[in-house]
Amino acid sequence: DKVHKLLTDALSSGENSNRQRIRSIAEEVEASLYDSCKGVNEQYKKKAQTLKFNLSTNEELREQVVERSILASNLVNMSTADLARQDLKKRRVTAAEESLKEIVNNEEVQKMKQAAEGLSMRKTDQGLVVAQLQEKEREDEARRKDEEEKAFKRKKEEEEVKKKKEKE
């Protein structure tokens, strides 16, 4: 009865004056809430408070429930994010986007630190990419050629030793 009254009051917050219809909708919501929570328990009480608050403060939600474009069974299963006003939803999306940008920027900061340590950055469609400096590439190429020459000399020496052994 108490939850029924809370929901009736919340649904009556708007200009709709059909009190009997609002009571009927509040009964449906309370029955769906009872079924969803499998009785009166802590979850039931918390969800009832959440519904009361959101129906009282979110005119668009309240109108959709009264007009039955949102059914009672769907209403009680909506998340707090779904129950929120549109302006709050937009702020949450904006905050999430900003957070994502911050994460991406942090990754770019790490890449810039690597650039300061002797690597350079190259802008691509995927964002900043670490690219080695040409000087470092030349050093690596010279080191590789040096190793190839040493390997070639060792092989030649081994062949000479082998030829000497064959002659003996």
Side-chain angles (χ1 to χ4, degrees), residues 59-116:
E59 185 177 339
E60 183 181 351
L61 176 68
R62 184 174 53 248
E63 287 175 7
Q64 289 176 331
V65 172
V66 170
E67 293 168 4
R68 296 185 190 265
S69 53
I70 295 179
L71 300 175
S73 58
N74 293 338
L75 178 70
V76 300
N77 291 311
M78 291 172 75
S79 68
T80 53
D82 293 334
L83 294 168
R85 296 184 321 265
Q86 286 300 322
D87 63 318
L88 185 56
K89 287 179 186 178
K90 286 178 184 172
R91 277 189 278 165
R92 287 177 178 161
V93 167
T94 302
E97 287 171 351
E98 289 300 317
S99 178
L100 184 59
K101 284 179 187 174
E102 188 175 315
I103 291 169
V104 169
N105 287 340
N106 285 342
E107 289 175 1
E108 290 192 354
V109 166
Q110 292 300 319
K111 290 176 182 176
M112 292 170 97
K113 284 181 183 177
Q114 290 175 336

